Amino acid sequence: MIKREDLEKKEYENLSSFAAKSADSKGRALQEEKCQVRTEFQRDRDRIVHSKSFRRLMHKTQVFLAPEGDHFRTRLTHTIEVSQIARTIARGLALNEDLTEAIALGHDLGHTPFGHSGETILNNIHPGGFKHNIQSLRVVEVLEGSKGRYGMNLTAEVKDGIVNHTGPVKPFTLEGQIVRFSDRIAYINHDIDDAIRSGVIKLTDLPKGCIAVLGNTHRGRINTLVMNLIENSDGKNAIIMSDSCQEHMDKLRTYMFENVYHNEKVKKHEDLHRVETIIRSLYNYYLDHPESLPEERQEMIEEYGVAEIVKDHVAGMTDRYALNLYNELFIPKGWK
């Protein structure tokens, strides 16, 4: 039997001096008895994978609204791709793969239905604004509870990596910094793949300079960026990309915003209007009818306020649940 203490000892023996060690974790908000066979970070990973919020990512938009085809990314497949890239980098640098995986699997738990379009709308209508990374932290700290307890009670390292996978603050662990890079590497490249598949762009449309530096295939670009991070970060207490790769990855990201993310073929005006109508209508409905919220959410209103709980409920919906609920509440039965 391999016990937790054996795994913790192996971390000290095999991992870089810069790696986060599970035995040295800053700990959990609520102290718990430790697992016999799993490290603290392995336990966090398992809690995330078994959560309802993680399962719902399967039916949340990545970029393409209601794509016609089975091969387009969803928020769940994006999360899995981020995790795979991040684990490869962590392993190459002898950093803590379990911590990296836990952060990667949890980083998008707070995403809204209908992707960033839904996020923008909630940010506009909710009094406190809305950012998906802040909501992801709220999911693991408050919303994903069990048996009368709020939240998953994750370690400080995992929570820090989740909330700071985007935004101005850099994660305090190298594993969190890896996920921050891996998220961008994943979405830029898989969104190119989906955009080419959909006919929005052609491979020959991509900026020539970026392709010359990063590669002309999906796997080639990811390999270039992953190896560049490993080579430039090796032996350092920071995750660093070379200036050339960083510059061309940023240019490719800018190209995607100009030609894909804001392209009318991807985000048609009528679709965006429909998304706004659905999210605004559901948000306002629950503000007016808080008694219609799930019982466990109603119990939280006194502590957090009705607007915050309504935001939580709408943000947690999948695309199809939000659409079906809107039809049920607002479309006359004879019109369906």
Side-chain angles (χ1 to χ4, degrees), residues 121-167:
I121 295 159
L122 261 186
N123 185 53
N124 290 337
I125 64 178
H126 180 61
F130 184 92
K131 292 185 182 299
H132 76 270
N133 58 316
I134 303 295
Q135 187 67 14
S136 293
L137 180 64
R138 181 165 169 79
V139 167
V140 302
E141 283 193 325
V142 178
L143 302 178
E144 275 283 352
S146 61
K147 297 180 181 178
R149 185 184 73 185
Y150 284 174
M152 299 185 202
N153 198 30
L154 303 183
T155 58
E157 290 81 1
V158 173
K159 292 192 295 184
D160 168 76
I162 287 173
V163 73
N164 292 318
H165 80 270
T166 187

Side-chain angles (χ1 to χ4, degrees), residues 87-276:
R87 286 173 56 204
T88 298
I89 298 168
R91 194 181 311 123
L93 291 169
L95 296 176
N96 197 310
E97 199 173 334
D98 295 323
L99 172 58
T100 305
E101 184 178 23
I103 295 169
L105 293 176
H107 82 281
D108 268 356
L109 292 179
H111 244 298
T112 61
F114 310 113
H116 287 285
S117 301
E119 180 176 14
T120 299
I121 295 159
L122 261 186
N123 185 53
N124 290 337
I125 64 178
H126 180 61
F130 184 92
K131 292 185 182 299
H132 76 270
N133 58 316
I134 303 295
Q135 187 67 14
S136 293
L137 180 64
R138 181 165 169 79
V139 167
V140 302
E141 283 193 325
V142 178
L143 302 178
E144 275 283 352
S146 61
K147 297 180 181 178
R149 185 184 73 185
Y150 284 174
M152 299 185 202
N153 198 30
L154 303 183
T155 58
E157 290 81 1
V158 173
K159 292 192 295 184
D160 168 76
I162 287 173
V163 73
N164 292 318
H165 80 270
T166 187
V169 180
K170 185 185 293 186
F172 66 74
T173 64
L174 297 191
E175 290 81 2
Q177 293 174 36
I178 285 174
V179 173
R180 191 176 168 98
F181 272 104
S182 299
D183 182 37
R184 185 164 291 194
I185 291 171
Y187 77 69
I188 290 173
N189 286 288
H190 66 49
D191 292 348
I192 288 173
D193 191 43
D194 281 353
I196 291 172
R197 177 177 293 108
S198 69
V200 172
I201 60 173
K202 300 189 293 292
L203 180 61
T204 52
D205 295 334
L206 296 174
K208 301 294 187 294
C210 297
I211 297 308
V213 171
L214 302 179
N216 63 355
T217 65
H218 177 72
R219 63 189 295 182
R221 286 187 295 274
I222 291 177
N223 185 68
T224 297
L225 292 165
V226 166
M227 290 306 300
N228 187 270
L229 275 175
I230 293 173
E231 290 166 358
N232 283 274
S233 306
D234 189 26
K236 298 173 184 172
N237 192 19
I239 303 302
I240 303 167
M241 184 176 285
S242 72
D243 291 342
S244 177
C245 271
Q246 184 72 65
E247 176 189 353
H248 288 93
M249 186 173 76
D250 290 345
K251 284 182 178 178
L252 204 52
R253 181 174 181 267
T254 299
Y255 170 85
M256 291 297 290
F257 269 94
E258 292 174 352
N259 295 276
V260 176
Y261 302 141
H262 297 155
N263 189 308
E264 280 194 35
K265 291 182 181 178
V266 179
K267 304 284 177 67
K268 298 177 183 176
H269 287 308
E270 58 266 31
D271 288 341
L272 292 175
H273 177 71
R274 191 182 190 197
V275 167
E276 180 166 8

Side-chain angles (χ1 to χ4, degrees), residues 22-75:
S22 53
D24 295 332
S25 171
K26 294 178 183 291
R28 308 177 187 278
L30 298 174
Q31 199 165 8
E32 298 180 26
E33 184 179 346
K34 294 190 176 183
C35 179
Q36 280 187 292
V37 296
R38 294 174 299 167
T39 68
E40 293 293 82
F41 300 145
Q42 289 173 344
R43 204 175 190 187
D44 283 359
R45 174 201 58 204
D46 295 349
R47 289 181 181 185
I48 290 167
V49 168
H50 289 286
S51 69
K52 297 187 294 293
S53 298
F54 184 77
R55 294 195 292 276
R56 288 198 299 269
L57 296 176
M58 176 171 57
H59 297 295
K60 291 193 178 189
T61 289
Q62 172 61 22
V63 171
F64 289 80
L65 298 171
E68 295 179 5
D70 295 332
H71 298 149
F72 289 91
R73 271 74 173 187
T74 65
R75 189 61 57 179

